[in-house]
Amino acid sequence: LFQKAIAHSDAVFVCSHYLGEKAANCGNKNIYYMPCFVNLDRFQVDDKARDELRKEWGVNKDEIVIGYSGVLWVGEGVAVLLKAIKMLLEKRDDVKVAVMGVNVPTNVMDDPAKIAKELGIERNVLVIPPVTHERVPKFLSACDILCSPKIDNDVNRATIAIKLVEYMAMGLPTVSSKIGQVSQIITPNYNGYLTIPGDANNLSETLSEIIENLPEARVVGKRGRDRIAEEFSDDVTSRNLVKSILEITNKTK
């Protein structure tokens, strides 16, 4: 039924090239790429919120905060991130990770507080209650490095994570698993950082290198924001959507 619906539609909008190929295999030639997008005016560092939240969290001025914001489904790789943090803490003690996670109705969820306790790093793990989407930029502002540690599976290959787009829009150093279309967005060590999916050791080494070279990493973060402005801003998406609808309309006349 799904394949027939795709095949007989006048046009199909897809959020990734992976899904575009799937739609084309169903027999539809009118495929329009429409990725997730972000409001760049909202997603930028708020210095006041940064200072307030870090004080509330008890973070010292010189400590590095690595942030994660998103659902706690195991496929997001939060457990991998916490294992990487444990390895990182064996080299230095000035690192904390802030996890702001949302539960979804499934029994395959990561419990960051439980995992942190099992790893013996609970002192360095900040489990932040969920906030409304409007307040997400404030949370991200309090972080120094942002991480999307997704594991390799069909779901993650098929999508571009909105969290990745939001992270990069903040202009902060962003680390992501190399999966799906991510490598078409991030140029390694230029506008972001790529790691091997599910490899806590590789993620730990990457985070360590970023921290050791923070001034350079901040320049990389700013280039990441420029990359998002090119393709994933709401302004660019709006123009592309209007252009696509006009094209579809002309084809169906």
Side-chain angles (χ1 to χ4, degrees), residues 42-44 46 133-142 170:
R42 286 187 53 236
F43 279 83
Q44 56 183 321
D46 181 332
H133 190 255
E134 287 73 20
R135 290 187 56 82
V136 169
K138 295 183 182 299
F139 166 82
L140 299 178
S141 294
M170 294 294 296

Side-chain angles (χ1 to χ4, degrees), residues 14 96 163 168 199 204:
V14 297
K96 283 186 166 62
K163 75 162 65 63
M168 294 178 70
D199 190 328
S204 179

Side-chain angles (χ1 to χ4, degrees), residues 4-234:
K4 287 184 178 180
I6 295 293
H8 294 286
S9 295
D10 292 313
V12 178
F13 286 89
V14 297
C15 63
S16 71
H17 297 308
Y18 176 97
L19 292 176
E21 293 175 5
K22 292 289 186 182
N25 289 338
C26 291
N28 196 308
K29 296 181 180 179
N30 297 318
I31 310 297
Y32 293 86
Y33 172 58
M34 195 63 56
C36 54
F37 56 90
V38 65
N39 184 321
L40 288 169
D41 291 331
R42 286 187 53 236
F43 279 83
Q44 56 183 321
V45 172
D46 181 332
D47 290 327
K48 181 180 179 181
R50 174 182 171 83
D51 292 341
E52 289 176 351
L53 284 176
R54 289 172 73 95
K55 183 178 180 180
E56 179 183 319
W57 297 347
V59 175
N60 296 329
K61 182 179 179 181
D62 296 329
E63 287 184 310
I64 304 298
V65 177
I66 299 167
Y68 171 87
S69 170
V71 299
L72 294 174
W73 172 57
V74 294
E76 297 294 337
V78 171
V80 176
L81 173 58
L82 295 180
K83 291 175 184 176
I85 295 300
K86 178 178 174 60
M87 295 177 190
L88 191 57
L89 288 170
E90 293 171 358
K91 303 176 184 178
R92 55 192 312 144
D93 61 1
D94 59 346
V95 176
K96 283 186 166 62
V97 59
V99 178
M100 185 173 68
V102 179
N103 287 307
V104 293
T106 172
N107 60 354
V108 283
M109 304 292 293
D110 279 329
D111 182 338
K114 180 180 178 181
I115 296 171
K117 186 174 182 179
E118 291 172 349
L119 293 172
I121 60 171
E122 59 265 45
R123 186 176 66 85
N124 297 82
V125 178
L126 306 167
V127 180
I128 311 299
V131 298
T132 61
H133 190 255
E134 287 73 20
R135 290 187 56 82
V136 169
K138 295 183 182 299
F139 166 82
L140 299 178
S141 294
C143 304
D144 299 288
I145 302 167
L146 299 172
C147 190
S148 176
K150 288 177 176 287
I151 64 173
D152 188 8
N153 56 41
D154 287 341
V155 173
N156 290 335
R157 290 186 213 113
T159 60
I160 300 173
I162 184 63
K163 75 162 65 63
L164 176 62
V165 174
E166 292 176 346
Y167 288 178
M168 294 178 70
M170 294 294 296
L172 296 170
T174 297
V175 184
S176 173
S177 299
K178 185 179 180 181
I179 185 171
Q181 202 171 315
V182 171
S183 58
Q184 296 175 29
I185 302 171
I186 291 180
T187 301
N189 304 317
Y190 178 76
N191 59 16
Y193 301 88
L194 295 177
T195 60
I196 302 169
D199 190 328
N201 185 62
N202 181 242
L203 177 55
S204 179
E205 290 177 353
T206 301
L207 291 171
S208 179
E209 289 174 8
I210 293 171
I211 295 170
E212 293 289 340
N213 300 280
L214 261 183
E216 179 183 336
R218 289 179 178 129
V219 175
V220 171
K222 293 184 185 304
R223 293 196 197 110
R225 180 176 169 85
D226 292 340
R227 176 69 182 92
I228 296 306
E230 291 173 2
E231 186 177 349
F232 300 92
S233 73
D234 51 359

